[in-house]
């Protein structure tokens, strides 16, 4: 081939490209025995978007107060920068950089949404000059300066290493990386902005000198030396640049003192801002998304407990909790063909009428529907087991009853929680989610905790009891069902009767003997008081107040027994309730080591190749090389002789090749087997099962023992 000739590669047009399977096709192809995969996907998508939208709205509402406080702080600092005086105090304050220490909590995954909302508010109402930086992109001072200048000025910034390029010249304009360049740019931009009104959206007097806000998202993760140098440099230009810092703190405000020495922190005028705790945020999310009859998709007690446990013991992230809820939603609509009925009233009625014969057969096989059939008359049972049209009509009736159950369940749940949340030791749980999980799993009125709570309620004084009943009445007012309206009317009648008690009665008769019960939080004293009250009720004649109090609490107890039955007793509850807690836990709380060991010990589990099926403790000669090497290493001690290991591997592989055991070359190590063995050992070392050791050069050390 001469010098002028060349070699060119022409890629053929790939007409048969691999088709990507979308989530809608995942529904249709994955589990579409009833042919309603498309409808289930559409319903799931609507509910998914509703969760996402409601969460974003809720996030904005929860952050509204602290973000408004931050904006007021930044506006106040900007005004003070514009109206500086010559007195000593003003000069001292003018030499400090205004800094907002924003304590957001350890739920780091949720911080991005908060900082995004803050940046949007700043650009819409305060200043167009705001920039956010993270520690992972600012490992050195030059990187931090480069990120700040690039995002503020919108052009490329040169640092020392970039000046010696490899001859590739970018068409983009580049400037040097220094604060003095930023000062010149700021003066030019604000001057042009005043002339051409480009900054006219900055109202309320911020037109002359809008501040430059630098947001450090993860303050604790920054290199302390980088932060110190950056603050020292910025402080020299504070009279030319209206700089304001925002520190995103996950742990404690004292972190600022630990990272920054006094010589640096004294250059900052720090004001503390505390956000809502992540547990309060979670309580609000559960209240709006789960404890509501407006959202048709529901979680069983075990599934909700899995999500709450992951939240409490892993990351405290509300964002990840919502992702878990969305995953449960996706799994439910994919695995349950009858979830096509888990939707709003009109759509559910329409879908029930469209049920096919196969759908109706699946309805008949539901455990809750089978229990419902057993409670009917013989003639009705025959109709339910033979007539598809009758089953469709009954399904519409049962779905309507399930919706009414939810409309009655949640108000009574909130009433019971409001009555018991202030009791000593929180017998039914401090958070409403704890009471909700108890009600989902069993008859709550049969528990010892409920009995203790009712005994404590029977010790409340008149004022305390009336105040608690008023809260219950406020909870029941939005209820629209007949039962809730009737319960509200009776509750208001009891409140009126308490207020109309004879004022001439002595204080001892109206006041409960347990008036100071709230002070007695010691368990022994509490039990002693309850026993004394129980004995006194047998011998002492009850007062009119005590009679009315018992009557009222019996009424509350009746509401609990009527409306807080577990949902599994409701017909067709499987349509709306997702119960596969094990599947959800495996998805959200993955165990990589267990999966790796399962794949290496039992490759059939993942590959589904019949040739790989073996008895427990044995290895198939047809298994992948790494599986053979792994199983052989399990038979060794702390140190593994590489030559013996290789000999054993060659013997197993020779059996896989079908060689005669009596042949001379059986188990013989050739170059190919040697290379395969070395590659497998390297893979095991990469996975962390073995490592090289200096004790013996021809040995490796074993690192794992036992299974998961």
């Amino acid at each position: 081939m001469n010098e002028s000739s060349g070699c060119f590669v022409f890629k053929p047009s790939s007409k048969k490209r691999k088709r990507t399977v979308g989530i809608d096709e995942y529904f249709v192809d994955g589990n579409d025995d009833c042919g309603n995969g498309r409808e289930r996907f559409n319903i799931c998508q609507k509910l998914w978007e509703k969760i996402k939208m409601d969460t974003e709205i809720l996030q904005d509402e929860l952050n509204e107060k602290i973000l408004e406080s931050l904006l007021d702080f930044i506006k106040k600092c900007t005004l003070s920068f514009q109206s500086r005086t010559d007195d000593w105090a003003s000069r001292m304050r003018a030499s400090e950089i205004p800094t907002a220490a924003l304590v957001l909590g350890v739920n780091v995954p949720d911080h991005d949404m908060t900082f995004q909302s803050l940046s949007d508010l700043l650009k819409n109402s305060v200043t167009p000059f705001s920039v956010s930086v993270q520690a992972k992109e600012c490992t050195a001072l030059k990187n931090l300066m480069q990120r700040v200048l690039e995002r503020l000025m919108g052009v490329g910034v040169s640092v020392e290493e970039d000046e010696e390029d490899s001859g590739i010249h970018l068409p983009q304009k580049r400037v040097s990386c220094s604060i003095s360049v930023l000062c010149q740019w700021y003066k030019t931009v604000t001057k042009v902005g005043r002339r051409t009104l480009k900054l006219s959206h900055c109202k309320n007097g911020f037109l002359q000198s809008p501040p430059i806000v630098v947001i450090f998202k993860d303050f604790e993760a920054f290199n302390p030396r980088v932060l110190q140098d950056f603050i020292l440099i910025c402080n020299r230009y504070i009279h030319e640049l209206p700089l304001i810092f925002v520190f995103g703190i996950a742990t404690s405000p004292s972190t600022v003192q630990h990272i920054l020495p006094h010589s640096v922190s004294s250059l900052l005028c720090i004001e503390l801002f505390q956000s809502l705790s992540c547990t309060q945020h979670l309580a609000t999310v559960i209240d709006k998304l789960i404890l509501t009859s407006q959202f048709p998709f529901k979680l069983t007690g075990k599934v909700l407990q899995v999500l709450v446990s992951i939240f409490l013991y892993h990351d405290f992230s509300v964002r990840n909790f919502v992702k878990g809820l969305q995953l449960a939603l996706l799994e439910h609509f994919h695995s349950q063909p009858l979830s096509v009925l888990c939707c709003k009233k009109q759509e559910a009625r329409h879908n029930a009428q469209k049920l096919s014969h196969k759908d109706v057969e699946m309805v008949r096989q539901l455990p809750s529907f089978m229990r419902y059939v057993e409670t009917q008359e013989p003639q009705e049972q025959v109709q339910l087991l033979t007539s598809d049209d009758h089953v469709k009509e009954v399904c519409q009736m049962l779905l309507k009853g399930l919706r009414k159950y939810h409309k009655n369940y949640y108000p009574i749940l909130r009433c019971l929680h409001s009555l018991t949340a202030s009791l000593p030791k929180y017998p039914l749980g401090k958070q409403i989610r704890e009471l909700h999980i108890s009600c989902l799993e069993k008859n709550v009125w049969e528990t010892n905790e409920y009995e203790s709570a009712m005994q404590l309620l029977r010790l409340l004084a008149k004022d305390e009891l009336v105040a608690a009943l008023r809260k219950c009445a406020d909870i029941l007012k939005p209820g629209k069902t007949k039962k809730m309206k009737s319960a509200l009317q009776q509750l208001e009648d009891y409140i009126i009767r308490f207020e109309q008690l004879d004022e001439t009665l002595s204080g001892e008769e109206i006041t409960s003997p347990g008036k100071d019960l709230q002070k007695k939080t010691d368990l022994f004293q509490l039990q002693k008081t309850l026993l004394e009250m129980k004995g006194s009720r047998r011998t002492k004649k009850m007062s009119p107040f005590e009679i009315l109090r018992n009557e009222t609490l019996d009424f509350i107890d009746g509401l609990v027994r009527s409306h807080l039955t577990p949902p599994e007793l409701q017909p067709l509850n499987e349509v709306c309730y997702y119960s596969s807690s094990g599947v959800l836990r495996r998805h959200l709380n993955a165990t990589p080591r267990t999966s790796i060991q399962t794949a290496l010990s039992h490759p059939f589990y993942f590959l589904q190749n019949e040739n790989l099926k073996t008895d427990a403790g044995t290895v198939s000669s047809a298994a992948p090389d790494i599986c053979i090497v792994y199983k052989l290493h399990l038979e060794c001690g702390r140190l593994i002789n590489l030559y013996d290991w290789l000999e054993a591997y060659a013997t197993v592989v020779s059996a896989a090749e079908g060689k005669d055991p009596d042949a001379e070359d059986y188990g013989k190590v050739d170059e190919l087997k040697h290379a395969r063995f070395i590659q497998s050992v390297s893979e095991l070392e990469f996975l962390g099962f073995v490592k090289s050791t200096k004790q013996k050069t021809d040995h490796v050390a074993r690192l794992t023992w036992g299974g998961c």
Side-chain angles (χ1 to χ4, degrees), residues 67 90 124 142 144 171 187 210 229-230 393 407 436 438 487 501 513 615 640 700:
L67 291 180
S90 298
N124 291 333
K142 60 186 178 184
L144 177 56
K187 292 177 182 178
D229 293 342
F230 182 75
E393 295 176 0
K407 291 180 180 179
H436 176 54
S438 298
L501 282 177
D615 298 331
I640 306 175
V700 292

Side-chain angles (χ1 to χ4, degrees), residues 543-558:
S543 65
F545 165 70
E546 292 174 336
I547 295 174
L548 182 58
R549 180 179 59 191
N550 291 341
E551 183 180 347
T552 305
L553 293 177
D554 289 340
F555 168 71
I556 297 293
D557 181 62

